[in-house]
Amino acid sequence: MGAQRLVQGQRAELLQALCYGGSAEGLESVIDLLLAWEVLLSEDHQSLRTPSQPLYSSARALLDLACIQGESTCASLLAALNQVLPETQRAGLCFGDCRVPPQGTGPVPTSAAQALRRDRPLLVRKLRGGVAAALKALLASGSFTVYDCDEVQLLLYTPSQQARRLLDLVQSKGESTAEVLLQHIQQTESNPTSPVNEEIPTECLLYQKKLRSSLSAQSHFLSTYGGTGSLSLDDIYTEVLLEVAKGSSEAQQQPLGLEDILGLVGTMNEEADLVLVSGEAGSGKSTLLQRLHLLWARGAALHDFLFLFPFSCRRLNSEERELSLKDLLFLHCCWPDQDQDLLFQYILDHPHKVIFTFDGMDEFRLGFSDEQRHCSPNLPAPVSILLFNLLQGSLMKGVRKVATSRPEAITPSLRGYLRKEVLLKGFSAGGIDCFVRRHHSNPCVAARVLDTLRINSALFGLCHIPVFCWIVSQCSRELLGCSSRGPRTITDVYLMVLQHFLQHHSPPEQRSPGSGWWQGNVGTAMRLGQLALGGLDSPCYVFSVVDLQRCMVTEEDLRAGFLIQTKDLSSPDGKHYEFLHVTMQCFFAALYIVFNNDIDRSTIPNLFCPPHRKGSVLSRSCLGPCLPTHCHLEGISEGADRLNLQITATFVSGLLSQRHRHLLHQVCPAPALDSKCRQVVKALSWGMRRHFRSIPRPVRGEKKSMHAMPEFVWLIKCIYEMQDSDIAKGAVARLEVEHLKLTYCSIGPVECTALAYVLQHLRGRVGLQLDYNSVGDVGVEQLLPCLDICHALYLRNNNISDEGIRKLIEKGIQCENFQKIALFNNNLTDACTQYFAHLLKKRHNFLSLRLGNNYITAVGAEQLADGLRSNKSLQFLGLWGNKVRDRGAEALAEALKGSPRLTWLSLVDNGIGNSGARALAELIESSKTLEELWLSKNCITREGVEYLLCALEKNTSVQSIWLRGNKLSPEEVEEVSRRESRLTF
């Protein structure tokens, strides 16, 4: 197919690739190449780079121009795209036979201006880190004016765009200016060490010292979960699991550390500045950011950055003044003692030495919008406009920004400006152990708490989330003194912390045993609950004294400790307060809904399925004039609001459980509780039916499957909180699917506990797909109760280790229905293969074992072979991306010779050479069932291929052997392909 037809036929796909991530870098790099190859003229270039023209319009204009100019221009365009686009974006595109013009074949440049044009792509790469130095040389030679320098260094340009603007301006000024620039570049290359480190002004160093001192003081003690001031961050901080989000250009090979958040690993868009750290409520996002602040303040990390400015989105919510960028930095972070203008100018001139952090983007009350541009650092604007333009790069381009948020609250438009996303996965099993031991100075108490957690697997799963682990550690006395049943649900844990705070607040002589602690504190809970629900409905997370007075919150209520005074919130209105944690605010809102006998009947239905919002979801039904008036704002972001209302609904479900009726009866009459419980059950049942109705009819010959959305997981969690097996049975009674897909649904151990509780009541067997979540070893243990109904379990990319596999296999051996497992991209080593060998020996109906991209070597392959010799049922074996090498391949081939059902075997990218190929050829000769053998990306040469060719002469059942990426020359590939069509390269 001709190049012009390829461009026209793939127009939509090419547009998407050119504008990927909202960055113009791909488009401009293609234009650079077309200019260098003299495919585009200067006039064409000018028409394509209109500053006010949207990115997609420029990309469309380029495609139109190529098609107008004909076949040769389209061929060059495809060649440029093939060179510029990364592999992930080239996938699915066809470039035909379009090749990059060989270097040096064109005419030799006769002038400096021609050299700038021919070498443009290379010069952009050379200049983007040294535009300031080049401008200084041009200014000194008289070729440039100060106005020219300002035009090149506009803050909205990326370093690459500044380099391109510099080249364009130089070419427009003629040959002498081009010669000055080329001479400067040559001097820089011949003496790269000549530029000495720029001297930092004394005023900047003094301000850095003050900023470090301020941040160190703010970050020294744990500020989240109440920030009592008694827990040093050094003593309590425990590493959480960090993972690069899907879509990055490289796979994560090892755990990420704190400094990797700002490192190169996982970068998706090099031209963007914003790094997003996302995690569920309570996963430790604020604490992680606080730790980063403390390490920078001490000079222990982030040494390349001179200044770090921290922002709280809760605090920014309360800022009603219009501010300039300078005001925002100095008023909200650290006030300079002197020379504000000099400091601010230094920050503007050196953005690469500055970090901004934004904690709690999901709590910012206005949704992200990139419609209102604001590029001036000196002109005042509403805080929301400043924030959005900082995040997307119109303001302070080059400053590295780190923001934390719950993932669901980040809009697609904001995701387009991400440099990368890092997922915060909570604690590992070892992290839980470490945190508890750090929290308790008495080793005996720590050991008893950990023993209690290990006995109560559901509670241990909850502790995977740092805020729950803190609650359990904080309430160790109540935990160790509770009944054998112990806390199992999130609601149980929060009732335990409620008891802890209220009892510790009361004088010792007034502390009642049993459930008596609750009777004297109902008023406190109701007043705080009214305040909490009003805040969630608005949304509002910081409350003034007036708000507290409106809900009649007393000094005695404040002393209970659930509300804490907000630190560093300068406001003419006086003191401000917030709940210990947003989940605590949700819990008190749930208490108010359940305990308020006068609440409107529509409140609970609206909570579980809110109507289209007109100002607020619940205010019409239950709060009315009690809401904080300053929180009623137009343009409210509904993302975080919806998430918090879901958390509240989860607590309402838990409070209405029969487990807690002894508490509720002290406040609410039984008929009212029964009515509310029926409302919750009805709402959950309706929500589940809605999901089931969305299941499409299966394609003929395929299994009936359902791809569950995150809301489905939330409904499952609500059902688990109620701890009623009849409700769980009823919820899945109508679910008739053979495959349940829950990929990318933020499934952690807490969700695994709830899923197992509900799914074990399914009537039929199901394949459960949990790929790309955060299951881990703790979550695997929580899934075991539902393994009986799983005929297949898919756990790709879930940070599972050998210990998790040990527990899984112990249970799996007992489950006759369990026949398939997939564990690509985990942390499995040779230690796990003994468990799989045991499974294969014991279970003679097991069909599929896929262990790709782990850390299994020849030792593990030999252990696995021991189980394969005894197994007669296995059909699919996948070990792609391990390192079994020849020895392992020989052991596997020998063990599989007797397999009567093996149809598919993958040993891609395992370092297998000719010796292994010979052993696999013998397997091919003996097998009557094998259809596909995957051996791509190994070390097989022509000799090894000959073994395979001889084996294929004796075997007609094999349909294909994949050999792409081995050690064969193009001529050898062409020859053997002619001899045997079943060899696929």
Side-chain angles (χ1 to χ4, degrees):
M1 185 183 292
Q4 190 168 6
R5 291 184 62 188
L6 283 174
V7 172
Q8 292 170 338
Q10 303 176 102
R11 182 179 176 88
E13 292 80 3
L14 294 175
L15 274 173
Q16 192 70 27
L18 282 168
C19 304
Y20 180 76
S23 170
E25 181 61 24
L27 173 64
E28 293 185 343
S29 296
V30 168
I31 293 174
D32 288 342
L33 285 172
L34 296 178
L35 286 169
W37 298 340
E38 297 189 348
V39 175
L40 292 182
L41 302 176
S42 298
E43 294 81 5
D44 300 327
H45 181 212
Q46 292 297 322
S47 68
L48 292 172
R49 61 174 288 267
T50 306
S52 60
Q53 187 166 264
L55 176 58
Y56 269 91
S57 298
S58 297
R60 291 189 186 96
L62 175 62
L63 296 178
D64 292 340
L65 182 63
C67 291
I68 290 170
Q69 292 186 357
E71 185 72 16
S72 61
T73 301
C74 288
S76 298
L77 173 63
L78 290 172
L81 283 163
N82 196 23
Q83 179 171 324
V84 167
L85 296 179
E87 185 176 353
T88 53
Q89 294 174 46
R90 290 201 305 269
L93 292 173
C94 180
F95 298 96
D97 192 27
C98 304
R99 299 175 182 173
V100 175
Q103 295 296 313
T105 57
V108 177
T110 58
S111 68
Q114 288 180 1
L116 290 184
R117 183 183 179 91
R118 188 196 68 170
D119 297 331
R120 183 181 177 91
L122 178 62
L123 293 174
V124 168
R125 290 195 294 272
K126 288 181 177 179
L127 282 169
R128 63 185 174 191
V131 169
L135 289 172
K136 188 175 181 180
L138 289 164
L139 194 60
S141 69
S143 303
F144 265 33
T145 66
V146 174
Y147 175 80
D148 294 328
C149 295
D150 290 341
E151 183 181 345
V152 169
Q153 289 186 300
L154 286 176
L155 293 175
L156 60 90
Y157 291 155
T158 68
S160 296
Q161 288 172 328
Q162 288 184 357
R164 293 185 179 99
R165 300 310 181 267
L166 174 60
L167 290 172
D168 294 340
L169 195 55
V170 165
Q171 286 191 308
S172 71
K173 287 182 177 290
E175 182 68 15
S176 59
T177 305
E179 288 175 355
V180 172
L181 179 61
L182 283 178
Q183 186 178 6
H184 166 76
I185 293 172
Q186 290 166 1
Q187 289 175 350
T188 304
E189 288 180 334
S190 62
N191 189 15
T193 59
S194 60
V196 295
N197 290 330
E198 181 184 0
E199 185 177 349
I200 301 171
T202 304
E203 294 82 359
C204 292
L205 293 175
L206 289 173
Y207 180 68
Q208 183 198 49
K209 183 178 180 180
K210 182 176 182 180
L211 185 59
R212 285 187 190 275
S213 176
S214 173
L215 263 181
S216 180
Q218 292 175 28
S219 307
H220 183 70
F221 292 104
L222 186 69
S223 62
T224 52
Y225 318 145
T228 59
S230 60
L231 292 176
S232 166
L233 195 63
D234 291 324
D235 296 336
I236 198 66
Y237 184 77
T238 303
E239 296 289 343
V240 289
L241 296 171
L242 297 173
E243 184 178 298
V244 172
K246 63 186 175 86
S248 65
S249 57
E250 55 189 290
Q252 183 175 325
Q253 298 296 323
Q254 57 188 4
L256 295 183
L258 270 180
E259 289 204 79
D260 292 320
I261 292 172
L262 285 159
L264 296 175
V265 178
T267 299
M268 297 182 293
N269 182 357
E270 292 184 0
E271 297 301 324
D273 303 321
L274 177 60
V275 176
L276 176 67
V277 178
S278 61
E280 299 303 318
S283 59
K285 302 182 292 294
S286 298
T287 304
L288 179 141
L289 211 54
Q290 183 184 343
R291 183 63 175 173
L292 204 64
H293 295 165
L294 183 61
L295 293 177
W296 177 83
R298 292 174 173 173
L302 308 175
H303 302 100
D304 294 335
F305 298 96
L306 189 64
F307 302 120
L308 189 154
F309 294 98
F311 297 97
S312 163
C313 290
R314 281 194 181 186
R315 183 181 175 191
L316 293 177
N317 268 336
S318 64
E319 183 60 78
E320 299 179 358
R321 296 168 292 179
E322 289 197 357
L323 301 175
S324 67
L325 179 61
K326 183 170 75 171
D327 295 333
L328 182 71
L329 296 183
F330 297 155
L331 283 173
H332 278 260
C333 295
C334 179
W335 187 262
D337 294 324
Q338 55 187 359
D339 299 308
Q340 290 182 30
D341 292 336
L342 184 150
L343 278 169
F344 188 58
Q345 190 58 50
Y346 187 87
I347 291 168
L348 295 179
D349 293 341
H350 302 82
H352 58 285
K353 294 185 178 182
V354 182
I355 304 175
F356 293 166
T357 66
F358 301 95
D359 188 27
M361 277 294 300
D362 51 323
E363 295 180 359
F364 195 68
R365 68 191 179 204
L366 298 178
F368 176 81
S369 169
D370 58 1
E371 295 178 358
Q372 292 181 272
R373 287 286 188 266
H374 182 83
C375 304
S376 171
N378 298 309
L379 292 178
V383 169
S384 59
I385 302 300
L386 290 178
L387 176 59
F388 301 152
N389 282 274
L390 282 171
L391 295 177
Q392 61 97 353
S394 294
L395 196 58
M396 290 302 293
K397 184 69 183 176
V399 169
R400 193 59 51 84
K401 299 112 183 175
V402 181
T404 66
S405 174
R406 282 178 278 184
E408 297 89 345
I410 298 300
T411 61
S413 58
L414 180 55
R415 287 190 182 277
Y417 296 104
L418 294 186
R419 182 179 181 86
K420 68 176 178 181
E421 181 177 0
V422 176
L423 305 178
L424 199 157
K425 301 280 190 170
F427 288 148
S428 63
I432 295 172
D433 187 289
C434 179
F435 183 89
V436 172
R437 294 187 185 279
R438 287 186 170 187
H439 192 279
H440 294 284
S441 56
N442 187 330
C444 295
V445 174
R448 289 178 61 202
V449 171
L450 289 169
D451 288 342
T452 303
L453 292 180
R454 293 187 183 103
I455 293 170
N456 187 335
S457 63
L459 186 58
F460 191 66
L462 284 174
C463 288
H464 157 82
I465 297 178
V467 69
F468 298 155
C469 199
W470 172 78
I471 289 173
V472 168
S473 299
Q474 188 82 357
C475 306
S476 56
R477 183 177 299 175
E478 287 78 9
L479 175 69
L480 298 175
C482 65
S483 64
S484 58
R485 183 178 64 173
R488 298 185 59 81
T489 67
I490 297 173
T491 309
D492 294 346
V493 171
Y494 276 71
L495 281 171
M496 185 172 68
V497 79
L498 182 68
Q499 178 184 356
H500 171 86
F501 275 70
L502 291 177
Q503 284 198 322
H504 282 254
H505 164 60
S506 305
E509 64 275 6
Q510 296 180 13
R511 295 176 187 174
S512 304
S515 60
W517 61 270
W518 172 242
Q519 292 178 342
N521 295 291
V522 174
T524 295
M526 291 292 283
R527 289 186 290 272
L528 294 177
Q530 185 179 10
L531 181 73
L533 184 58
L536 291 179
D537 191 52
S538 299
C540 176
Y541 306 100
V542 178
F543 304 96
S544 68
V545 173
V546 175
D547 298 328
L548 270 60
Q549 290 172 348
R550 188 176 290 112
C551 294
M552 295 181 285
V553 176
T554 67
E555 287 293 330
E556 189 72 13
D557 298 336
L558 289 176
R559 282 195 287 271
F562 298 107
L563 278 175
I564 57 170
Q565 190 172 338
T566 304
K567 299 177 181 178
D568 303 319
L569 187 60
S570 55
S571 171
D573 299 334
K575 295 180 180 178
H576 284 76
Y577 296 86
E578 60 188 342
F579 282 88
L580 292 174
H581 192 266
V582 68
T583 54
M584 189 64 69
Q585 185 171 345
C586 295
F587 175 66
F588 273 99
L591 284 173
Y592 184 80
I593 291 172
V594 171
F595 291 157
N596 187 353
N597 295 323
D598 300 323
I599 203 163
D600 192 280
R601 279 188 57 84
S602 64
T603 301
I604 288 178
N606 287 350
L607 184 66
F608 281 87
C609 187
H612 181 67
R613 187 177 183 122
K614 294 180 181 178
S616 63
V617 174
L618 300 172
S619 58
R620 296 184 303 279
S621 60
C622 62
L623 294 178
C626 297
L627 288 173
T629 54
H630 71 281
C631 295
H632 288 287
L633 301 166
E634 296 299 322
I636 291 170
S637 169
E638 295 189 23
D641 178 24
R642 178 179 56 81
L643 294 172
N644 289 333
L645 291 178
Q646 286 187 350
I647 295 172
T648 305
T650 306
F651 282 128
V652 168
S653 302
L655 289 169
L656 289 169
S657 165
Q658 290 293 332
R659 291 159 57 89
H660 305 307
R661 284 299 174 95
H662 63 288
L663 278 179
L664 272 62
H665 280 154
Q666 300 176 39
V667 182
C668 292
L673 292 175
D674 292 339
S675 175
K676 290 176 182 178
C677 187
R678 285 193 298 269
Q679 283 187 306
V680 170
V681 173
K682 183 178 179 180
L684 294 175
S685 177
W686 184 87
M688 295 293 281
R689 284 201 305 272
R690 185 179 60 180
H691 277 277
F692 299 160
R693 283 198 298 267
S694 69
I695 304 174
R697 291 186 177 183
V699 178
R700 189 173 183 178
E702 293 187 1
K703 294 180 178 179
K704 187 175 183 181
S705 61
M706 180 180 87
H707 192 158
M709 302 304 287
E711 186 178 333
F712 174 83
V713 180
W714 163 61
L715 292 171
I716 292 285
K717 289 168 71 175
C718 290
I719 293 168
Y720 174 74
E721 289 294 312
M722 299 198 79
Q723 288 290 291
D724 189 322
S725 58
D726 290 335
I727 295 175
K729 289 177 185 177
V732 295
R734 295 183 177 87
L735 181 58
E736 296 179 0
V737 293
E738 296 174 271
H739 190 85
L740 183 58
K741 191 173 182 181
L742 287 156
T743 57
Y744 297 112
C745 283
S746 300
I747 305 290
V750 175
E751 290 74 22
C752 288
T753 306
L755 281 169
Y757 180 80
V758 176
L759 295 182
Q760 63 182 317
H761 298 295
L762 282 170
R763 294 177 177 178
R765 297 186 305 153
V766 69
L768 184 58
Q769 187 169 353
L770 294 168
D771 299 336
Y772 302 98
N773 284 296
S774 309
V775 173
D777 294 344
V778 181
V780 166
E781 188 174 356
Q782 306 307 308
L783 287 172
L784 299 183
C786 73
L787 202 58
D788 282 319
I789 58 95
C790 292
H791 62 75
L793 186 60
Y794 303 89
L795 290 165
R796 298 173 179 89
N797 207 316
N798 267 288
N799 201 34
I800 297 167
S801 74
D802 303 325
E803 179 59 20
I805 295 305
R806 180 186 67 79
K807 296 176 181 178
L808 180 64
I809 299 304
E810 284 178 359
K811 175 69 175 180
I813 288 174
Q814 306 166 23
C815 303
E816 283 300 315
N817 293 327
F818 183 49
Q819 295 180 313
K820 299 177 182 178
I821 191 166
L823 289 157
F824 299 130
N825 300 331
N826 281 290
N827 299 318
L828 308 183
T829 70
D830 294 333
C832 79
T833 54
Q834 59 181 313
Y835 309 128
F836 287 115
H838 185 51
L839 174 71
L840 292 168
K841 288 178 182 179
K842 294 291 184 180
R843 292 286 311 285
H844 293 288
N845 67 337
F846 202 78
L847 303 178
S848 178
L849 178 61
R850 300 174 189 256
L851 304 174
N853 204 25
N854 282 288
Y855 304 94
I856 297 170
T857 69
V859 174
E862 289 171 339
Q863 289 184 145
L864 199 59
D866 183 46
L868 290 168
R869 292 188 192 96
S870 305
N871 186 277
K872 306 301 179 185
S873 62
L874 196 71
Q875 297 177 8
F876 302 90
L877 177 61
L879 286 165
W880 161 80
N882 286 284
K883 289 291 174 273
V884 305
R885 305 196 187 280
D886 284 337
R887 197 176 105 206
E890 291 165 0
L892 292 169
E894 181 63 30
L896 290 167
K897 281 182 181 178
S899 173
R901 301 190 66 187
L902 182 72
T903 59
W904 184 90
L905 174 62
S906 174
L907 292 169
V908 170
D909 193 16
N910 265 283
I912 297 171
N914 295 333
S915 176
R918 183 172 187 172
L920 291 165
E922 294 174 3
L923 169 63
I924 292 170
E925 287 186 22
S926 65
S927 177
K928 294 182 174 58
T929 59
L930 185 64
E931 296 177 359
E932 285 191 66
L933 175 61
W934 289 73
L935 294 172
S936 303
K937 297 183 181 179
N938 279 296
C939 307
I940 301 170
T941 67
R942 175 62 183 273
E943 178 189 347
V945 173
E946 283 295 333
Y947 297 135
L948 298 172
L949 285 168
C950 293
L952 286 173
E953 291 175 0
K954 303 173 184 178
N955 187 308
T956 58
S957 66
V958 172
Q959 298 175 2
S960 59
I961 299 178
W962 293 77
L963 289 166
R964 183 177 298 163
N966 280 282
K967 295 186 175 180
L968 280 79
S969 68
E971 294 76 18
E972 289 172 328
V973 168
E974 186 175 350
E975 179 195 344
V976 297
S977 296
R978 283 199 304 267
R979 286 177 57 187
E980 178 54 78
S981 62
R982 289 179 289 174
L983 294 182
T984 303
F985 293 92

